[in-house]
Amino acid sequence: MKRLTLTTVVALLTLAFASVASAKAPTFSGMQPRVASFDFLVDYSGSMMMQHKGFGEQKFFMAQRAIQRFAERIPELGYTAGLRTFAKVGEVSAQQTFNPDTVYAAAGKLKQTYEVFGRLTPMGDGISYWTQNLYAGIAQPTAVFVVSDGENNRGGDALAAAQAAIAANPGLVFHIISVADTKEGQALLDNIAALRPDRSVSVIAEELITSNTACEKFARDTVYVNGVRDVLRTAHFPLGKDSLTPDSFAILDEAAAILRDSNRMVRLDGHTCDLGSIKLNNDLAIRRVETVKAYLESKGVRPTQIMTGFYGENVPMIDNTAERNRKQNRRVDLNFFY
């Protein structure tokens, strides 16, 4: 998990008032998306209307501005995005092709004044509701930005809800935009991020409000990679299986040699042919990626060098018009980049 440091309250007060589609494979024209989609899940509870104990600003206003500033620094690479709330549960912006102006406007629609008392925080229920309704059965790389002060004083356990969501969708990762002002609140947010320590990123809202550099780094760490592909390799699999074909081991040994003792990264994209149900093929694509990932790590590749994507039958290398073509589509593509 990555954490960013605090800056000064003075900077916050100065700047606070300043104004892939899922079926597409990643591209490498200088930038590539880490995810096919992402959502902001915004805490809309009474505690967010209170003043932050450290910064002296309303927590919800800090959260709103952090989302807007962050959105302005995200490049348009074909992923989809939405904005939802919990406590109360609501959809502010439905999933659609990402545009920074759309997200900026959606965040601006959220009210900054509502009742404080009687609006407790069922964060666990909010995570469960949205992940079950949005991501159940979806194998695409997906990010959820939890924007909250970490209060969870009603309903189900938030950490358990996040664990269940990841178990149901291995492509899901939670990132944190924190406006916590208690140790307990920050600890809960840290624990959610720690569920995927190699992928989750945690940032303090004040950093995004006050620093373009922090916004750009957060975007690179969560939604895209700034790099150019220089090598492509492909490992193949038998029909309906997640075990490698014999000729793939030499390919993966070469891949491990490329990655060891280097700063390169690799994205593993799992694919299938069109035989079988969509769910079966999504699950199979995930298992094939996990097979390749485990093999590379056994050969000394660091987990932090590996990103993953799962595309099922959506992105064939060649039309599934004959068995010889289908064999080519039962694969994991290894995209190497700097």
Side-chain angles (χ1 to χ4, degrees):
M1 180 183 67
K2 305 171 186 176
R3 287 288 307 276
L4 300 177
T5 59
L6 291 170
T7 56
T8 64
V9 179
V10 173
L12 171 66
L13 297 175
T14 302
L15 294 179
F17 295 94
S19 151
V20 166
S22 63
K24 291 184 178 180
T27 58
F28 287 84
S29 57
M31 295 180 179
Q32 82 139 324
R34 289 181 184 269
V35 295
S37 65
F38 60 90
D39 279 277
F40 293 94
L41 185 56
V42 184
D43 188 342
Y44 216 31
S45 64
S47 66
M48 293 289 287
M49 291 295 100
M50 301 175 69
Q51 299 292 301
H52 192 285
K53 295 174 184 177
F55 303 135
E57 287 292 324
Q58 183 194 62
K59 286 186 278 187
F60 185 77
F61 178 68
M62 294 169 61
Q64 186 180 51
R65 286 294 298 135
I67 294 169
Q68 291 177 323
R69 292 263 298 160
F70 175 47
E72 291 175 327
R73 314 306 294 188
I74 299 175
E76 298 178 57
L77 297 178
Y79 23 58
T80 61
L83 191 150
R84 277 90 182 181
T85 64
F86 63 91
K88 301 177 178 179
V89 166
E91 181 177 80
V92 183
S93 177
Q95 203 74 24
Q96 56 191 292
T97 300
F98 170 74
N99 178 287
D101 293 337
T102 301
V103 173
Y104 190 103
K109 292 178 182 177
L110 297 169
K111 294 192 303 181
Q112 294 179 21
T113 57
Y114 52 77
E115 63 274 17
V116 174
F117 298 102
R119 289 186 70 142
L120 298 178
T121 312
M123 181 189 293
D125 293 353
I127 289 173
S128 294
Y129 178 87
W130 284 119
T131 53
Q132 290 172 12
N133 280 275
L134 293 174
Y135 312 123
I138 297 177
Q140 301 295 340
T142 304
V144 174
F145 293 92
V146 177
V147 188
S148 175
D149 61 2
E151 300 293 329
N152 184 52
N153 47 24
R154 196 185 83 188
D157 180 81
L159 183 60
Q163 287 175 317
I166 291 172
N169 178 7
L172 181 66
V173 60
F174 289 98
H175 302 297
I176 303 298
I177 299 177
S178 172
V179 290
D181 60 355
T182 66
K183 291 182 179 179
E184 296 78 9
Q186 188 61 54
L188 174 57
L189 297 175
D190 288 345
N191 287 336
I192 291 174
L195 294 173
R196 305 297 287 268
D198 59 330
R199 296 174 60 189
S200 292
V201 185
S202 182
V203 65
I204 296 167
E206 183 252 359
E207 285 285 342
L208 300 182
I209 294 171
T210 60
S211 171
N212 285 339
T213 300
C215 290
E216 290 164 0
K217 183 179 188 305
F218 193 44
R220 287 196 306 273
D221 289 343
T222 57
V223 297
Y224 80 97
V225 170
N226 193 10
V228 179
R229 184 176 67 182
D230 67 331
V231 179
L232 171 65
R233 296 289 186 271
T234 300
H236 288 98
F237 297 80
L239 173 64
K241 297 183 181 297
D242 57 13
S243 55
L244 292 156
T245 57
D247 61 327
S248 293
F249 289 100
I251 293 170
L252 295 185
D253 288 340
E254 179 195 26
I258 291 172
L259 292 163
R260 282 194 305 265
D261 301 320
S262 77
N263 293 322
R264 290 179 177 177
M265 296 184 67
V266 66
R267 179 179 172 114
L268 310 178
D269 291 323
H271 303 273
T272 70
C273 69
D274 64 343
L275 299 178
S277 69
I278 292 175
K279 183 181 186 307
L280 184 150
N281 285 332
N282 284 342
D283 292 343
L284 184 58
I286 292 170
R287 298 201 310 271
R288 286 173 173 172
V289 165
E290 291 303 317
T291 294
V292 173
K293 184 174 185 289
Y295 188 87
L296 292 177
E297 290 179 0
S298 75
K299 296 296 182 178
V301 178
R302 300 184 299 277
T304 53
Q305 292 177 275
I306 302 173
M307 297 193 304
T308 57
F310 318 101
Y311 295 90
E313 64 187 69
N314 292 321
V315 189
M317 179 180 291
I318 187 171
D319 289 341
N320 288 291
T321 54
E323 175 57 22
R324 64 177 179 275
N325 293 2
R326 291 189 175 97
K327 285 183 179 180
Q328 297 302 308
N329 291 328
R330 299 165 193 152
R331 72 196 197 277
V332 169
D333 290 333
L334 293 82
N335 296 287
F336 299 79
F337 57 94
Y338 287 98

